Structures are given as structure tokens and as C-alpha cells.
């Protein structure tokens, strides 16, 4: 499978999530407040959700739209939307 234009944006979001997650670990080890930690965890979750959504929408518009077998395309669409 070839890379899509959105892959660079997905990688960027995942690197951001990775940075936030590293911060959460440091915060837990540094005995930071639960409110601050929860805020960082929300940032991790948001970055991962955004990356996943971008990847799935890209797949739908670039892979499924060009699927030569409509039945296979429908099965792929039903499978990938489970991850939304």
C-alpha cells in the first residue's frame, strides 16, 4: 500500500500524542496534580482521535472510492467505520 498525502499529518499528530504521553508519565512520577494529569491525558486522547479520523477519512476517499469491486469496497467501508 502506498503512502497517502495525509500520512505526514497523521505521523505529526501521533508524534504530538507521543510527546503528551511522555509528559503524563513524567507528571505521574513527579507527583503532579490529578487535574493536570487528566488534562494531559485528554490531549493524548484528542491527538490520537484526530490521527485516526484523518487516516480513516483518507482511506475512504482514496482507497474505497477507487475500489474496482463494489462488494469488496462495501465490506471495507463497513469494517473501517467500526473504528470511528
Amino acid at each position: 500500500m502506498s503512502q497517502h498525502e495525509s500520512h505526514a499529518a497523521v505521523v505529526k499528530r501521533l508524534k504530538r500524542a507521543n510527546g503528551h504521553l511522555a509528559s503524563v508519565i513524567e507528571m505521574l512520577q513527579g507527583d503532579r496534580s490529578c487535574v493536570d494529569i487528566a488534562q494531559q491525558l485528554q490531549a493524548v486522547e484528542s491527538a490520537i482521535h484526530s490521527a485516526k479520523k484523518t487516516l480513516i477519512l483518507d482511506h475512504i476517499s482514496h482507497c474505497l472510492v477507487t475500489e474496482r469491486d463494489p462488494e469488496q469496497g462495501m465490506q471495507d467501508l463497513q469494517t473501517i467505520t467500526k473504528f470511528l
Side-chain angles (χ1 to χ4, degrees):
M1 183 170 158
S2 64
Q3 265 198 342
H4 298 258
E5 280 186 31
S6 70
H7 286 188
V10 170
V11 168
K12 184 177 179 180
R13 286 183 174 98
L14 291 175
K15 285 182 178 182
R16 185 176 302 133
N18 189 37
H20 287 303
L21 189 55
S23 294
V24 169
I25 293 168
E26 289 175 12
M27 293 169 81
L28 285 165
Q29 293 171 334
D31 201 29
R32 294 277 300 270
S33 78
C34 291
V35 172
D36 290 342
I37 294 168
Q39 183 177 18
Q40 278 300 108
L41 284 171
Q42 178 62 38
V44 171
E45 188 176 306
S46 178
I48 290 172
H49 177 76
S50 178
K52 179 178 70 169
K53 182 178 174 184
T54 300
L55 181 74
I56 290 171
L57 291 176
D58 183 63
H59 178 72
I60 290 169
S61 61
H62 290 98
C63 296
L64 298 184
V65 170
T66 61
E67 178 67 51
R68 296 179 194 269
D69 178 2
E71 189 173 318
Q72 182 62 47
M74 183 56 72
Q75 287 176 353
D76 288 349
L77 178 62
Q78 290 170 342
T79 300
I80 201 158
T81 57
K82 292 177 187 177
F83 301 114
L84 286 174

